[in-house]
Amino acid sequence: MQFTDVLLDQLNKLGIKELFGIPGDFILPLLSDIQKRSDIPFHYLSHEPAITFCADAAARITNRPAAVFLTYGAGALNAVNAVAQAYEEHVPLIVIAGFPAQKEIDRGLHIHHQAKHTDSQSRVFEQVTCYQTRIDSPETATARLQNALSECQRQSRPVLIEVARDAFAYDAPALEDWPMPEMPVIELTSLNAQIKERLQKAKKPVILAGVDVRRFHASAALESFSEKTGIPIVTTFLGRSVINVQHPNYAGVFLDDSDSTAYQLLTDADLILSVGIIRTDSNFAAHNHLLHEEKLLDLQQNRCRVGKSQYHQVNLKTVLDSLTQASLPWFGRSGSKVSEPTVAEGKFTADHAIRVIHKTLESSENTVPFVTDVGDCLFASLLAQPSLCLAPAYYASMGYAVPAAYGIQAATGMRPMVLVGDGAFLMSGLELGHFQRHNYAPIVVLFNNKRWDMIQAFAPDLGCTDLTGWNYQKLSESMGCEYHSANNEEQLETAVENALKQTQKVSFIEVALAADARTERLDRFAYRFLNA
């Protein structure tokens, strides 16, 4: 079986319906062979970080792996930051990177795109992927591919698969089925017994849910467990949308102590059942005391420690399903009312804009996923409660939202609502020019206050945050977008309503904000983060 066929067969079994990448010399033979053998769409943008963000978003929105193809060195190394974000936020990304053929290495010449060593690419990726392998031999090609894809799924993190320039034509063994390992019964029985013991002693338990609840397909199981026990659910900032916001036990997102309902529940709890959270400074730098070991039970995919017992083959869904079937205490704390964030009246801020967007979308019959970039728009987005929300809420790399919108539409067909500041837009906004190739039609809301607002929140006296000089109407229209502008709530409501009717091209809404109209939420976060 030719290696290209093996690769396509395995990507298909993972549910991958689209490929992403940027063509470059070392990966061209494989891409050409794929194109001859398959009609699977290949999506490309202009820059490696952007196409990697694009694949990242496809993986997040579909909750299964996505594959991105990059050339050796210059291509793959250019994507390292985007892969690092996927690694830290637990996104199952398959990075397929070109590599020189053995005959090229045997020349003894320094190879173009090579860094310090031929192996520099894989050495760099050791820091941002959970597994690295190289397809450079017909005999080992299939097994190495299988191991990499298996680890990508098992850990929900990026893997690097280097493919030699001539590897597409290898005569490789066919792959056998490789089912995911099940949690051993002895571990499941022991862990559940300890969790039940902790619950029986508790008076005020709270569930703190993180992004891995969704990554490992445990959302429905967690909701059922909460219904069975009456335990309220709080999510982390990164874990937004891991459960249905209409769930009767949903108690909101915890970011800081301004989230009064969530914060009070965590403060008062005598048992925090932490499920699939990433303990980040974004959430806990100023509130690390909430995760006191005496009242924390930290349940993670693949691992868990309860007292002196450690478990290394944990499956979140299996554990929660099993607990739901068991005899458990009833805590009767359902129906926790989520405290509504307030919007200070006065200057037109990102908060006011999100309030309008949320109100306008409430009447829409279609699911509108949100994708938000880093900055004021990210914090303001907490005023909305979308059923799907993608954001780099921990690693926080700017420039994510626009290419992510492409990935969402390529993978699902859904039109996303894109929230992006002018600083982040200038990093990747030109990728909007590619959207018209497929009539993709996201609604892009640009929050323009002519500066890097989040940077200024952390360093108010810094003198290099000015971003004046861009004409976004001409820029967006040159990329085939329909332009709207708004500097108050009424104009924005009209713009969003018109954008919802435009389904054939990008609707670009420039929201003009005053330079000193930063949201209180961002200022408060910056102050507490810096003074933790």
Side-chain angles (χ1 to χ4, degrees), residues 55 63 364 446 520:
N63 213 29
S364 175
L446 176 76
E520 292 182 12

Side-chain angles (χ1 to χ4, degrees), residues 422 447-452 465-469 510 512-513 515:
D422 51 332
F447 295 88
N448 185 11
N449 57 6
K450 298 182 174 61
R451 64 177 182 172
W452 279 318
T465 59
D466 179 75
L467 294 175
T468 55
E510 181 180 5
L513 301 174

Side-chain angles (χ1 to χ4, degrees), residues 402 415-418 420-422 425-426 428-433 440-448 470-486 492 495-496 498-500 502 505-512:
V402 169
R415 299 176 62 202
M417 173 67 67
V418 182
V420 59
D422 51 332
F425 181 83
L426 291 172
S428 57
L430 287 180
E431 302 292 4
L432 283 177
Y440 289 167
I443 301 171
V444 178
V445 181
L446 176 76
F447 295 88
N448 185 11
W470 278 269
N471 185 320
Y472 290 104
Q473 179 172 357
K474 290 182 178 179
L475 186 61
S476 62
E477 289 177 345
S478 72
M479 294 186 287
C481 305
E482 183 172 275
Y483 176 83
H484 308 268
S485 63
L492 180 57
V496 174
N498 289 335
L500 288 170
Q502 171 57 268
K505 58 182 178 179
V506 178
S507 293
F508 187 97
I509 305 173
E510 181 180 5
V511 177

